[in-house]
Amino acid sequence: MKINRKQALRKMAMGTAGAWVLPQIAGEVKAGSSHVFDRNDPGLQEADMASLWRNSALIIVDMQNDFVRAGAPLEVPAARDTIRNQKELIGAFRKRNLPVVFTKFISHPHYYLLWNWSPQCKPPTKCCWKGHQRSYQDISGSRDCSEIIDELQPDKQDNIIEKFGYGAFHDTPLAKILQASGFSSVVITGTVTQICVEETAREAFHHGFRTTIVEDAVSSFAEDLHVATLKNFSMKFGWVAKSDMILSKLA
């Protein structure tokens, strides 16, 4: 029996064990649309997601001054739109005594390969240089440019992972910290969707963590890349869900 390209792609996607996939897998995903996911893992139906998320660590990726604040060198304006959802998720995870992990991208103060693609990290701008003070348009006074934004300040019990690259698991103790605490799944928020968020989420998958990216708690400077990243991740690596769904399961 002959099948067309759309049917072939859908059949291939539905054969992916352990991932949610978009029903119109060959079609374009519209920005801001609600994702309705099919499930092809008989061992983990949607009803079981409550158990998954109630035993997850929350990872907030790079919500730092030099990415989020107005006028920042690597500003992601959409990141400010995700603060409320992230605060609600942080509150829900803390209420359940689940781990909350903040990651911070720190630039080396000397040349390394990443500077080729983010020249803002080198002098004189010194984006995300630890200890470097900078003023921003939307807040008064100066801040350490590498620090987490005021609205999402970590508590003393939260873990903070400093990284010199895109992914939070590469050359950091994050995997060991989570495994030592008995956690095998993570929920990921933060910025930038197709760079540090995606890299962290893929690394989590490769470390064996069941991983969920929160669609409306991640952000990008490029909407097409944001949408494509979420679509691709849900096909082969893990789950994509909105914050209200996760919050309802944690309530």
Side-chain angles (χ1 to χ4, degrees):
M1 179 180 68
K2 292 184 177 180
I3 58 176
N4 61 33
R5 180 177 178 273
K6 182 175 181 179
Q7 291 170 325
L9 285 170
R10 180 171 175 78
K11 183 177 180 181
M12 186 168 60
M14 289 298 291
T16 303
W20 278 355
V21 297
L22 292 167
Q24 293 81 29
I25 201 66
E28 180 181 356
V29 182
K30 294 182 179 179
S33 64
S34 297
H35 290 180
V36 179
F37 296 102
D38 290 336
R39 186 66 191 153
N40 195 43
D41 181 356
L44 191 63
Q45 301 297 330
E46 184 177 350
D48 299 318
M49 296 309 292
S51 177
L52 178 72
W53 292 328
R54 288 172 183 171
N55 292 280
S56 292
L58 177 66
I59 301 176
I60 301 99
V61 177
D62 299 359
M63 289 294 287
Q64 299 164 252
N65 292 317
D66 261 2
F67 295 123
V68 181
R69 301 263 67 108
L74 288 173
E75 181 186 0
V76 183
R80 295 190 289 276
D81 297 332
T82 68
I83 293 173
R84 179 178 178 180
N85 291 339
Q86 293 192 50
K87 288 180 72 171
E88 290 183 350
L89 287 164
I90 290 169
F93 273 75
R94 285 177 178 161
K95 185 176 181 180
R96 283 188 161 270
N97 293 315
L98 296 169
V100 175
V101 179
F102 289 85
T103 78
K104 292 164 61 175
F105 169 75
I106 307 295
S107 176
H108 282 299
H110 52 75
Y111 172 80
Y112 69 128
L113 190 60
L114 187 143
W115 281 14
N116 290 23
W117 285 270
S118 296
Q120 298 90 339
C121 291
K122 64 184 180 180
T125 306
K126 298 183 178 180
C127 181
C128 289
W129 279 36
K130 193 172 182 178
H132 183 69
Q133 294 290 309
R134 197 185 316 280
S135 297
Y136 303 92
Q137 298 170 5
D138 58 336
I139 55 174
S140 60
S142 63
R143 300 289 192 282
D144 183 323
C145 68
S146 69
E147 282 298 332
I148 307 300
I149 60 173
D150 295 349
E151 296 92 325
L152 300 178
Q153 277 297 298
D155 282 350
K156 60 182 180 179
Q157 72 271 20
D158 298 333
N159 284 292
I160 299 176
I161 298 295
E162 294 186 349
K163 58 191 179 68
F164 290 90
Y166 301 133
F169 288 85
H170 176 68
D171 205 22
T172 78
L174 181 54
K176 290 182 178 180
I177 289 172
L178 296 177
Q179 290 163 352
S181 301
F183 288 89
S184 59
S185 57
V186 295
V187 171
I188 296 180
T189 72
T191 201
V192 174
T193 307
Q194 75 276 9
I195 306 175
C196 293
V197 169
E198 180 183 25
E199 184 80 351
T200 295
R202 288 192 180 207
E203 287 177 351
F205 166 81
H206 288 297
H207 276 85
F209 293 96
R210 290 180 181 243
T211 304
T212 303
I213 295 178
V214 188
E215 177 185 351
D216 54 352
V218 295
S219 57
S220 174
F221 50 79
E223 184 62 20
D224 58 336
L225 296 179
H226 170 84
V227 172
T229 296
L230 296 179
K231 180 176 180 179
N232 188 57
F233 187 82
S234 69
M235 285 180 63
K236 292 293 183 181
F237 298 97
W239 295 265
V240 174
K242 289 192 173 181
S243 58
D244 58 356
M245 178 183 292
I246 297 174
L247 289 167
S248 71
K249 302 300 185 184
L250 294 176

